[in-house]
Amino acid sequence: MTDMNNAAPVAVNGPGLPDDQRRLIELDDAIAKIRTQIATADLARQRGHKSIDPDWFHRARTALRHLSRERAELLAQGTGRHRREKLKDALIGVLRERHDPETWTGILAEAQARSEREGL
């Protein structure tokens, strides 16, 4: 039977990719590998060459379920983060429209100073 260790995620080395996007890519890769292993085992079974080991199949399906769950959770977190970013952009737009350029420059400088103090 196919070794489940081959389904381990591969590190993605992309400059500037956020950790959550990098993890999504790793999860997609691992999910695709497990699905390929299951399909290959099923094709061999259909050809009558060998049966599928039920313990291996259960481990593969369990791993697939856990990886899919983690992927769904990451996507849900990203959706919330995307909404927060849009809200921040809208807030900045409103503040910028309501203040003259000099006041806006002061607000921006204060925000940058706070960001540096908090290590953001």
Side-chain angles (χ1 to χ4, degrees), residues 32-48:
K33 285 181 180 180
I34 293 172
R35 285 183 176 157
T36 300
Q37 290 174 357
I38 291 171
T40 301
D42 190 45
L43 285 173
R45 180 195 59 80
Q46 288 176 17
R47 286 192 312 262

Side-chain angles (χ1 to χ4, degrees), residues 73-94:
E73 289 172 359
L74 270 176
L75 287 173
Q77 289 172 2
T79 301
R81 188 174 303 123
H82 182 68
R83 286 185 196 143
R84 284 190 302 275
E85 290 298 320
K86 289 185 108 177
L87 176 62
K88 287 177 189 177
D89 290 344
L91 180 61
I92 289 169
V94 168

Side-chain angles (χ1 to χ4, degrees), residues 2-86:
T2 309
D3 183 14
M4 287 301 296
N5 291 329
N6 290 336
V10 175
V12 179
N13 296 321
L17 278 179
D19 289 340
D20 54 351
Q21 281 185 325
R22 188 172 286 122
R23 183 64 184 145
L24 274 174
I25 292 169
E26 291 171 352
L27 288 169
D28 285 344
D29 185 50
I31 288 169
K33 285 181 180 180
I34 293 172
R35 285 183 176 157
T36 300
Q37 290 174 357
I38 291 171
T40 301
D42 190 45
L43 285 173
R45 180 195 59 80
Q46 288 176 17
R47 286 192 312 262
H49 292 104
K50 49 183 160 176
S51 63
I52 295 177
D53 175 15
D55 292 331
W56 173 86
F57 183 76
H58 177 70
R59 285 191 312 272
R61 294 294 295 180
T62 300
L64 188 60
R65 187 173 56 253
H66 287 293
L67 292 170
S68 296
R69 170 90 185 224
E70 183 180 349
R71 184 181 191 286
E73 289 172 359
L74 270 176
L75 287 173
Q77 289 172 2
T79 301
R81 188 174 303 123
H82 182 68
R83 286 185 196 143
R84 284 190 302 275
E85 290 298 320
K86 289 185 108 177

